[in-house]
Amino acid sequence: MDSFTPNNILVTGGAGFIGSNFIRHLLSSNSDVTITNLDALTYAGSQLGLTSCADNNRYEFAQGSITDSSLVTTILHNKEIDTIVHFAAESHVDRSITGPEAFIDTNIVGTFRLLDAARTVWGDNLASRRFLHVSTDEVYGTLSATDPAFTETTPFAPNSPYAASKASSDLLARSYFHTYDFPVITTNCSNNYGPFQFPEKLIPLMIVNALAGKPLPIYGDGQQVRDWLYVDDHCAAISRAISAGELGSTYNVGGNNEMPNMDIVHSICDLLDELQPRDDTKSYREQIEFVEDRPGHDRRYAVDASRIANELGWTPSESFATGIRKTVDWYLKNSEWLEAIKTEQHRKWLSENYTKRSKPAA
Ligand code: NAD
Ligand code: DAU
């Protein structure tokens, strides 16, 4: 049974992949809520995925960082926010290996500032408030081929700076519940895929590189296993957790789709062979290249999502076969979005690097 109805929602990181899918999902499935999207528009954020919401009078965008306590406080007051859905994060494991500091700033300090601003503004008014913290299965570390899947009681053992920063944020959220009765619920989900994913993650990168005639880089032996969750299923799980989740609890969210990376890349190549064959009629599989492995690469993730199924009645609707077909089809039909996002990211990169180079020596 549902115990909570959100009215005014603050979505953080709503210009990213999952956040933008969530905003579209919410605006189309709920005719009452208002949404404020707070996003810093880093390289991973873009309003190009939100053009369909721009004219909706229940939606508003605010550019800024979750680390800015005064901005967050103003939004919480002015928009009478009763629900926070916290997606904002640095999300890419490879980037956390080459530059971990941004992960500490946003994922740890940012989550702390957000929790604390909400605690201050919401005061004792907590029964009619919710903070949904979106986290990852990577906090649990890695599994062998025969280990049972992660449950909500699997001990944390994060292996990358990204995973460690997310585990820290989960623990901060947990501590706010235990110390202040702060109404937090955490979801730990597996690898998402679907429309509007930035082409640095495995699935969109492979689609984009394949179509551009570029190599398809497989890290190590390509036998690492992930569980794949279609993004719409994830959005539905978050909505269920907000409406019916138990305060202070965590829920694992997974797609029941454990697959080795090689199989993922083969499925993408096979779909492209069918939907947009190469000019030379050879398979896109010809472009696969084995490259050096990711340092500290987790071997296997697997998610036991029986708690959210049994207690909240959520199960995924999409199989990998149906979800990947929809995804490949979407990328084929949205080459304009892809070109625009690549240009936009290039512009951001240029401006960031120009600023750095042009600073006078101290
Ligand atoms: P993403 O990288 O696509 O988007 C992140 C968004 O956060 C971007 O729009 C970015 O501009 C924004 N952002 C970054 N720093 C910010 C800051 N300081 N203040 C405000 N906004 C900021 O990420 P995603 O894949 O959509 O992931 C969303 C959330 O889900 C993250 O918390 C991630 O850890 C979690 N998650 C993702 C996956 C996945 O497979 N993508 C799986 C499990 C959990
Ligand atoms: O498990 C949930 C996590 O999934 C999220 O918390 C992260 O935000 C999200 O980025 C994702 O992390 P991964 O590291 O699993 O995703 P990524 O798409 O980077 O890589 C998926 C797998 O594919 C991983 O085993 C590394 C491999 N890989 C990735 C890339 C980009 C390759 O073999 N080649 C590549 O070029």
Side-chain angles (χ1 to χ4, degrees), residues 15-18 39-40 42 45 65-66 87 91 106 135 162 166 189 192:
F17 163 49
I18 308 174
D39 196 295
T42 67
S65 173
I66 55 166
F87 294 100
S91 70
T106 288
S135 191
Y162 163 72
K166 291 297 291 188
C189 74
N192 284 223

Side-chain angles (χ1 to χ4, degrees), residues 17-151:
F17 163 49
I18 308 174
S20 64
N21 275 284
F22 181 73
I23 289 172
R24 284 188 300 276
H25 160 88
L26 206 58
L27 287 175
S28 62
S29 63
N30 183 319
S31 52
D32 298 323
V33 288
T34 74
I35 299 174
T36 304
N37 173 11
L38 172 63
D39 196 295
L41 294 183
T42 67
Y43 80 93
S46 171
Q47 298 200 72
L48 289 168
L50 292 160
T51 47
S52 62
C53 311
D55 294 334
N56 192 317
N57 59 12
R58 293 188 289 123
Y59 170 76
E60 201 167 309
F61 179 74
Q63 183 171 358
S65 173
I66 55 166
T67 58
D68 183 344
S69 301
S70 113
L71 172 65
V72 171
T73 302
T74 303
I75 292 173
L76 293 175
H77 272 302
N78 291 355
K79 301 292 170 189
E80 299 179 8
I81 299 294
D82 53 61
T83 305
I84 298 174
V85 188
H86 176 35
F87 294 100
E90 288 293 335
S91 70
H92 195 45
V93 174
D94 287 331
R95 287 178 189 257
S96 84
I97 294 166
T98 51
E101 194 154 346
F103 290 72
I104 307 307
D105 284 348
T106 288
N107 301 1
I108 306 180
V109 178
T111 300
F112 158 69
R113 296 243 167 95
L114 191 63
L115 283 164
D116 212 57
R119 180 176 76 87
T120 308
V121 173
W122 287 348
D124 293 332
N125 229 343
L126 296 176
S128 53
R129 304 284 183 265
R130 287 294 181 277
F131 187 112
L132 194 291
H133 175 56
V134 180
S135 191
T136 169
D137 59 1
E138 297 202 14
V139 298
Y140 301 122
T142 187
L143 296 169
S144 75
T146 52
D147 282 335
F150 302 131
T151 69

